[in-house]
Amino acid sequence: MRVLGIDPGLGTTGYGVVELVAGAPLIREAGTVRTRRGDALPERLRTLYEGISEVIRDCHPEVIALEDLYTEYQFPRTALLMAHARGAICLAAAHQAIRVVSFAPSEVKSAVVGFGRASKEQVQGTVQRVLGLSQPPHPNDVADALALALTGCYREGSPLQARER
């Protein structure tokens, strides 16, 4: 099972590819797709779409684990920008016939750390340990994307999940 986790953002989108090999998660690729702040929205979405399309073509994931849309009451604009980014990512997945599953941030934290209100540092530390990295993944967008990929592996790659489908 190979899962591409994506932490969507209009400025910086983190991605991480994790593969289950003999039941153990291994990191295959990780990085960011960045857009230029001064570019118009359509150009930024094109850059994001092309970057994620390239990652999909290069890494051949079976499924994409995408952070679900959420908003904080004080920052509704952030949710709107994230929705644009998620749309470009979903379009890239659809064009290459890759299934997308969405996970709420609290579900990712619960699956990876065991606590739905875990801190960014706790997520980074757990991802580092589980994937055997010498340092915590950086930036946070990459750590979150790897946590999403791990959640996708746990939820989509488990024998119990396969029987339920």
Side-chain angles (χ1 to χ4, degrees), residues 58-165:
D58 291 348
C59 296
H60 309 288
E62 296 171 54
V63 66
I64 292 175
L66 183 61
E67 185 174 69
D68 208 355
L69 188 60
Y70 70 93
T71 186
E72 294 181 27
Y73 177 73
Q74 307 91 323
F75 307 107
R77 182 168 162 72
T78 302
L80 294 173
L81 295 176
M82 184 181 182
H84 286 299
R86 288 183 89 252
I89 292 162
C90 288
L91 182 61
H95 276 162
Q96 296 186 52
I98 305 297
R99 187 167 58 92
V100 175
V101 294
S102 293
F103 298 107
S106 61
E107 184 177 359
V108 173
K109 291 174 181 180
S110 181
V112 173
V113 179
F115 176 58
R117 296 178 57 104
S119 69
K120 290 268 188 199
E121 293 78 18
Q122 288 172 308
V123 172
Q124 279 183 311
T126 303
V127 168
Q128 177 186 1
R129 274 190 309 283
V130 169
L131 294 174
L133 304 173
S134 61
Q135 298 179 10
H138 184 77
N140 280 337
D141 310 284
V142 171
D144 291 347
L146 288 168
L148 279 152
L150 286 168
T151 302
C153 286
Y154 299 154
R155 300 287 194 259
E156 299 294 310
S158 74
L160 176 61
Q161 184 68 256
R163 284 194 301 267
E164 290 175 351
R165 284 190 207 146

Side-chain angles (χ1 to χ4, degrees), residues 17-47:
V17 179
V18 172
E19 184 172 9
L20 282 180
V21 177
L26 300 174
I27 185 171
R28 295 297 187 203
E29 177 77 28
T32 60
V33 175
R34 296 180 187 270
T35 67
R36 293 194 321 218
R37 182 176 287 246
D39 286 350
L41 178 63
E43 181 63 24
R44 293 178 85 179
L45 294 174
R46 183 183 64 76
T47 299

